[in-house]
Amino acid sequence: MLNFIHDIPTRLYFGRGQIAHLDEALRAFGTRVLLTYGGGSIKKTGLYGEVMDILNKGGFAVTELGGIEPNPRIESVEEGVRLCKERGVEVILAVGGGSTIDCSKAIAAGVFYEGDLWQMVESEHGALKALPLVDILTLSATGSEFDGGGVISNLKLRKKLGNMFTYPAVSICDPSYTFSVPAYHTAAGAADIMSHIFEGYFSRTEDSDLSDSIAEGVLTAAIKYLPIALQEPDHYAARANLMAISSVACSGIPEYGKQPTFWPCHAMEHELSAYYDITHGVGLAILTPRWMRHILKKDPSCLWRFTRFARKVWGLENDDELALAQEGIDQLENFYREAGIPMTLSELGIGTEHFKAMAAHANRGGRLEKAFVPLNNEDIEEIFRACL
Ligand code: NZQ
Ligand code: ZN
């Protein structure tokens, strides 16, 4: 088990009715609020009205930035920063999924950034200072409610990059706000949660039992509750479990004491989203089983991880260890398919035309040469091709 330092400065209010804490959470930072949200789901569900009632009753001065795109764009960040500066905003309130929260994190940091905001996204050092951020989560997926990262897209440059911007000060996580999430995004969200686990679970560190057990617990909860949430969208326990594991999965906790892996599936998926603007979790679901098969073939010394995954997560048994490992991967692919996720790139209209450039950018600076099983550009292209 390796050394680690961990500090999560976010207060989570989890469960039904926790919006009761919204007024006090904002007021701790001020009364001039930038309210950010996506393409309108919060207006359809009534959450927008509920939030506005609290803000109006509390006498908050509200500036709105709606229409934040899935795979949020740099232009929305620029607009948010402009509004914050113009109105002297003291605190940002993000209501939505990972895209709205990520965009709001970049806005919060961008207010203090001197210079071009895309440069801030590309900078190696992350943000030093940011406006306080409060969020109300409406989709269980990214873990943005409990981490400091954000992912911003620049469609003109065909780049989608993550960086450290700021942790939310407070995240209000009421699972009932996710009852309205459509099946497609519920399944994609679960695939994202599971991928955050896989990225750390498939590591060379063998003796970090706490991390491995947490990781397996998250995976088995996703496997149990995703089908229930799809069948019965307002099943509270299913939505609550998905929301709780969303926050834990990307928090760093499941990677305690483990060797970094450089998150190869995320690196490859961000290329797919940058070029084709696809749903993050769908890209991950397509890539993951193909990446698993590729690395198992390339480096049989990682077999032990796959057999543990098959046994602990799927409850499989087989004296033939390789067959067992492959069955575990097949189970995962079938699980995603049964959840209604399109499981090939061709179904998303994606062909081979940009694979070379995408592989080169995913592996910029040779970063994926340091993955659990090192990947070169040819490996990455091969994985993309296996997804067709
Ligand atoms: O935009 P609205 O109208 O709100 O609709 C959204 C959007 O169309 C809808 N939705 C959200 N909550 C809903 C709802 N529809 C009905 N009822 C609700 N309660 O769902 C759609 C997708 O929303 P989005 O926020 O884009 O999804 P997600 O939470 O999966 O966020 C994806 C973004 O987060 C990044 C991804 O790359 C992507 O850009 N990630 C952020 C991470 C982080 N901050 O740590 C880590 C992740 O690995 C990921 O890269
Ligand atoms: Zn993700």
Side-chain angles (χ1 to χ4, degrees):
M1 193 165 181
L2 308 180
N3 293 5
F4 63 89
I5 302 173
H6 204 200
D7 179 16
I8 304 181
T10 302
R11 171 174 292 188
L12 288 183
Y13 285 108
F14 185 91
R16 236 194 259 270
Q18 294 286 23
I19 199 169
H21 294 281
L22 179 60
D23 184 303
E24 78 196 54
L26 291 170
R27 200 170 295 281
F29 302 111
T31 53
R32 289 193 299 278
V33 178
L34 178 73
L35 169 64
T36 57
Y37 51 91
S41 71
I42 65 162
K43 292 196 170 161
K44 281 193 212 127
T45 60
L47 179 55
Y48 173 82
E50 203 179 339
V51 168
M52 285 307 283
D53 278 352
I54 293 169
L55 296 178
N56 290 334
K57 275 197 196 111
F60 291 92
V62 182
T63 301
E64 293 188 35
L65 175 66
I68 293 173
E69 316 78 10
N71 299 328
R73 312 215 176 132
I74 187 64
E75 291 80 4
S76 294
V77 178
E78 288 164 351
E79 176 61 4
V81 169
R82 192 188 65 74
L83 288 171
C84 285
K85 287 183 174 167
E86 190 180 284
R87 312 280 167 92
V89 165
E90 294 165 302
V91 52
I92 300 178
L93 171 59
V95 185
S99 294
T100 294
I101 301 175
D102 281 8
C103 184
S104 305
K105 288 176 176 177
I107 294 169
V111 168
F112 296 98
Y113 190 80
E114 306 277 342
D116 177 61
L117 289 169
W118 182 249
Q119 258 173 28
M120 172 184 81
V121 174
E122 287 199 303
S123 98
E124 276 181 22
H125 308 294
L128 298 173
K129 199 172 169 200
L131 279 180
L133 171 67
V134 172
D135 68 75
I136 301 175
L137 181 66
T138 66
L139 199 169
S140 305
T142 63
S144 189
E145 70 279 10
F146 202 45
D147 71 20
V151 187
I152 304 297
S153 292
N154 187 326
L155 294 188
K156 284 185 212 134
L157 299 180
R158 286 181 160 158
K159 282 186 177 171
K160 176 177 178 178
L161 301 175
N163 208 333
M164 287 300 287
F165 296 120
T166 188
Y167 282 84
V170 172
S171 291
I172 294 173
C173 303
D174 181 336
S176 64
Y177 295 149
T178 65
F179 289 170
S180 55
V181 177
Y184 188 78
H185 285 293
T186 301
D192 190 21
I193 293 167
M194 293 171 80
S195 177
H196 297 156
I197 292 298
F198 294 137
E199 299 282 30
Y201 185 74
F202 288 92
S203 151
R204 291 287 160 188
T205 309
E206 294 183 36
D207 62 353
S208 191
D209 289 42
L210 173 67
S211 315
D212 282 343
S213 308
I214 293 170
E216 286 151 2
V218 170
L219 293 173
T220 49
I223 290 163
K224 175 173 175 185
Y225 287 109
L226 172 62
I228 299 174
L230 292 174
Q231 188 99 44
E232 210 182 312
D234 56 359
H235 191 294
Y236 183 81
R239 294 294 193 179
N241 274 276
L242 291 173
M243 193 168 249
I245 60 174
S246 152
S247 302
V248 173
C250 204
S251 66
I253 296 170
E255 290 160 291
Y256 277 169
K258 297 191 76 162
Q259 189 179 321
T261 61
F262 298 89
W263 287 45
C265 287
H266 273 68
M268 292 186 278
E269 196 296 310
H270 286 172
E271 296 306 313
L272 292 172
S273 293
Y275 277 75
Y276 299 100
D277 203 16
I278 66 168
T279 299
H280 174 61
V282 169
L284 291 168
I286 295 172
L287 284 162
T288 303
R290 281 68 184 225
W291 164 74
M292 288 178 166
R293 290 192 189 100
H294 186 91
I295 62 172
L296 182 58
K297 194 167 149 210
K298 184 173 179 189
D299 182 359
S301 78
C302 66
L303 180 63
W304 61 278
R305 268 278 116 183
F306 284 98
T307 51
R308 178 170 170 142
F309 169 61
R311 287 195 175 100
K312 297 269 187 183
V313 175
W314 297 111
L316 299 171
E317 216 21 282
N318 191 330
D319 292 338
D320 180 339
E321 300 256 299
L322 182 59
L324 177 63
Q326 284 162 341
E327 281 167 31
I329 302 171
D330 292 346
Q331 286 267 356
L332 179 69
E333 187 172 344
N334 290 338
F335 173 75
Y336 289 150
R337 192 167 282 118
E338 277 166 22
I341 299 178
M343 284 303 287
T344 60
L345 293 180
S346 316
E347 284 167 78
L348 305 181
I350 297 176
T352 58
E353 55 278 8
H354 299 298
F355 283 177
K356 207 174 197 51
M358 285 159 54
H361 192 255
N363 198 22
R364 59 196 178 280
R367 60 184 59 199
L368 295 186
E369 307 273 358
K370 291 174 265 176
F372 169 57
V373 171
L375 299 176
N376 57 35
N377 294 12
E378 290 70 40
D379 289 314
I380 298 168
E381 276 189 68
E382 214 172 293
I383 294 168
F384 282 140
R385 271 196 298 277
C387 295
L388 288 168

